[in-house]
Amino acid sequence: MLEQIRRRLAENNCDVFISTYKTHRRYLTKFTGSAGLVWIGHDTNILIVDFRYTEQAAEQSPGWEIVKQESTLTETLQSLIEKYGVKRIAFESEFITVDQLNHWQRNFEVEFVPTKNWVAQLRMVKTDEEIEKITKAVEIADQALQELIPTIKPGMKEIELALELEYTMRRLGAEAIAFDPIVGSGPRGALPHAVPGERQFTRGDFIVIDMGCVYQGYCSDMTRTLIVGKPTDKHLEIYNLVLEAQLAALAAIKPGLTGKQVDSAARDIIASAGYGDNFGHSLGHAVGLEIHEEPRLSQLDEETLVPGMVVTVEPGVYLPGWGGVRIEDLVVVTETGCKILTQTSKEMVIIE
């Protein structure tokens, strides 16, 4: 990956690429500390950290020169700029504030060149090691939900289930939750990102559960929709429609298609059934060190899928005042299609 950054430097006539963004710092160096700056030159790769992290950085980032920050980061950067005769510095414009850039421009007699997506594009295709960690995060979430489904009963509160989801994933080996669990029941299931509240599960409710955890830095993401009590014809109609759309999208995924084309595979089915206006979000997104990454499976995304990308497939139908259904798997794009990582059944689960 360093050679790809260096190619970009040459193409843009820059001497150094710097990054302060935590996720990119971890991706490039494997350093997990909360502060530091990555410096990549044509023949240098340096990780600047302060006193708190020198030992940790040396352990986690073999192959990187660890530079201990002087009294300020500005002084340390100035020393490196002078040492290597730097004239043009490429920086990540989407992660540097105007105030920070102004500070650098006042203090350094160099040209700062804005860049975007140099590292994000590298992160789109996962290594085997990354996929192994994502798979483990998926397994933890799968197991947690399977353990908890038998405990879900009418009268249980959304917030109680959300708490149990978080605790169970942590107990099973997750280092953190990937995002606050979404639990929306009954009419609140029509909120795609419902915040769990005090509402109690009631017969006739769909319960939308969206959950994920972090394992060794990498995220998982899964949604299942349960029904409390015997489903009505409308429950079956909406659930089966979303499931049909999800299965169609899974079958469509293969290298060479764009995110837009895969999105259409699910969206067209839902629209043909008359619920197009009730599916208002994209079909999916990539997952990795962050829960939302590129590429997206959306009506606008023209990025071509390639093997090694890890994406969610999560169509939904949301009916205000009634409820909603979303079904989500995490998949890896393969040479011939996709491999579904999520193993929790998609058959309708009835809570008695």
Side-chain angles (χ1 to χ4, degrees):
M1 67 182 70
L2 293 182
E3 289 310 311
Q4 291 167 294
I5 297 292
R6 287 172 177 142
R7 266 199 304 273
R8 295 272 200 162
L9 287 175
E11 292 167 358
N12 290 271
N13 193 30
C14 291
D15 302 305
V16 173
F17 168 80
I18 62 174
S19 176
T20 58
Y21 184 48
K22 181 178 180 180
T23 302
H24 290 175
R25 187 170 60 240
R26 177 168 185 164
Y27 178 75
L28 292 167
T29 72
K30 299 191 184 302
F31 170 63
T32 60
S34 63
L37 182 141
V38 173
W39 166 295
I40 300 173
H42 291 284
D43 54 7
T44 57
N45 50 287
I46 296 169
L47 176 58
I48 303 171
V49 295
D50 61 43
F51 170 81
R52 296 172 296 169
Y53 294 122
T54 52
E55 186 174 346
Q56 178 182 342
E59 179 181 339
Q60 292 183 327
S61 307
W64 285 77
E65 179 184 351
I66 308 303
V67 171
K68 181 182 174 183
Q69 181 179 308
E70 299 173 27
S71 58
T72 66
L73 180 59
T74 300
E75 291 178 10
T76 309
L77 284 173
Q78 183 61 46
S79 296
L80 291 174
I81 288 169
E82 293 174 357
K83 179 178 180 179
Y84 293 106
V86 171
K87 300 299 182 184
R88 284 168 57 89
I89 296 178
F91 72 98
E92 297 182 295
S93 58
E94 65 265 52
F95 302 118
I96 297 297
T97 65
V98 172
D99 185 64
Q100 178 67 74
L101 180 59
N102 287 340
H103 173 78
W104 284 345
Q105 290 174 329
R106 285 195 304 268
N107 284 275
F108 306 134
E109 294 182 1
V110 300
E111 182 180 355
F112 284 91
V113 180
T115 71
K116 192 172 183 180
N117 292 332
W118 284 16
V119 180
Q121 288 183 343
L122 297 178
R123 290 170 53 206
M124 285 187 188
V125 180
K126 273 54 179 181
T127 64
D128 289 344
E129 180 184 357
E130 289 179 298
I131 292 171
E132 287 176 6
K133 293 176 181 178
I134 293 169
T135 301
K136 179 61 176 177
V138 170
E139 290 172 354
I140 291 171
D142 274 331
Q143 186 177 346
L145 186 57
Q146 290 307 305
E147 286 189 14
L148 288 175
I149 283 176
T151 72
I152 301 172
K153 302 295 180 185
M156 187 180 196
K157 296 179 180 179
E158 294 172 344
I159 198 166
E160 291 172 340
L161 177 55
L163 178 61
E164 291 298 327
L165 288 168
E166 180 173 351
Y167 169 75
T168 305
M169 287 188 288
R170 293 294 296 267
R171 178 174 56 78
L172 292 172
E175 66 190 56
I177 52 173
F179 52 92
D180 290 338
I182 295 168
V183 180
S185 62
R188 300 189 73 256
L191 304 173
H193 279 188
V195 176
E198 296 292 327
R199 190 180 187 280
Q200 295 180 329
F201 303 146
T202 303
R203 294 192 180 278
D205 284 354
F206 268 136
I207 307 172
V208 181
I209 302 170
D210 193 340
M211 57 188 286
C213 67
V214 180
Y215 178 79
Q216 294 187 9
Y218 285 82
C219 300
S220 65
D221 195 357
M222 168 178 66
T223 305
R224 290 294 184 264
T225 302
L226 318 180
I227 179 71
V228 183
K230 183 179 179 180
T232 64
D233 289 343
K234 187 172 183 179
H235 287 119
L236 294 172
E237 175 199 1
I238 301 301
Y239 190 92
N240 290 331
L241 173 63
V242 173
L243 180 58
E244 179 187 359
Q246 206 250 1
L247 294 174
L250 292 172
I253 292 175
K254 63 180 180 179
L257 289 189
T258 64
K260 181 177 181 178
Q261 290 172 310
V262 178
D263 180 277
S264 293
R267 194 171 302 277
D268 290 350
I269 289 173
I270 291 173
S272 295
Y275 293 101
D277 291 341
N278 303 101
F279 177 23
H281 56 72
S282 64
L283 176 67
H285 55 87
V287 172
L289 285 169
E290 295 177 303
I291 192 62
H292 294 108
E293 297 186 356
E294 300 297 330
R296 308 288 170 136
L297 305 183
S298 77
Q299 294 173 285
L300 302 176
D301 201 301
E302 299 288 353
E303 187 73 39
T304 300
L305 298 180
V306 300
M309 289 180 170
V310 178
V311 295
T312 66
V313 180
E314 49 180 308
V317 169
Y318 310 92
L319 304 177
W322 184 77
V325 173
R326 182 165 66 254
I327 300 171
E328 174 186 18
D329 289 331
L330 194 57
V331 310
V332 182
V333 180
T334 66
E335 296 288 344
T336 57
C338 73
K339 177 183 179 182
I340 303 172
L341 299 181
T342 311
Q343 295 301 304
T344 298
S345 172
K346 287 177 281 195
E347 292 186 14
M348 182 183 285
V349 173
I350 299 174
I351 303 299
E352 297 292 355

